[in-house]
């Protein structure tokens, strides 16, 4: 719901960003356990566009991208988008050459 509001132009508050952060952490944990739970579905085009990711990206990728934009990580920490990419790759959702 927060991503839908963000895509419609509503700014995400710090409290909402904290909720998204918790949801992202939960989704990353679920990637390792189950292929049927979580945000491993393709996000709609308008969500991908709002998140500045490619069309056809997973919901979890959109979560990470929006969080990286709204609350950037501190210097020396890995961006959420990169962390999600690594987890998706490690768990067979993405294949790299």
């Amino acid at each position: 719901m927060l991503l839908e509001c963000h895509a419609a132009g509503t700014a995400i508050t710090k409290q909402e960003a904290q909720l998204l952060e918790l949801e992202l952490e939960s989704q990353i944990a679920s990637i390792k356990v189950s292929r049927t739970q979580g945000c491993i579905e393709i996000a709609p085009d308008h969500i991908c566009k709002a998140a500045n990711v490619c069309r056809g990206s997973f919901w979890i990728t959109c979560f990470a991208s929006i969080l990286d934009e709204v609350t950037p990580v501190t210097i020396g920490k890995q961006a959420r988008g990169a962390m999600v990419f690594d987890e998706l790759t490690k768990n067979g959702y993405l294949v790299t050459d």
Side-chain angles (χ1 to χ4, degrees):
M1 180 69 128
L2 287 174
L3 296 187
E4 288 285 353
C5 291
H6 178 72
T10 303
I12 293 177
T13 67
K14 288 185 182 199
Q15 286 180 324
E16 291 169 334
Q18 290 173 338
L19 289 173
L20 284 177
E21 186 77 46
L22 291 172
E23 181 63 21
L24 180 65
E25 290 172 10
S26 171
Q27 295 302 323
I28 289 172
S30 75
I31 286 173
K32 300 170 186 175
V33 177
S34 173
R35 288 189 167 270
T36 60
Q37 295 180 1
C39 292
I40 308 302
E41 292 182 16
I42 303 300
D45 289 348
H46 69 286
I47 299 294
C48 292
K49 183 176 180 181
N52 295 314
V53 298
C54 297
R55 281 180 15 175
S57 292
F58 293 120
W59 273 100
I60 193 168
T61 305
C62 296
F63 269 117
S65 178
I66 289 171
L67 277 169
D68 281 339
E69 177 188 328
V70 173
T71 55
V73 295
T74 57
I75 295 173
K77 290 185 80 179
Q78 185 179 30
R80 295 170 195 91
M83 182 174 50
V84 165
F85 180 83
D86 289 348
E87 288 298 326
L88 290 170
T89 303
K90 274 196 296 190
N91 290 280
Y93 292 97
L94 298 176
V95 178
T96 59
D97 292 330

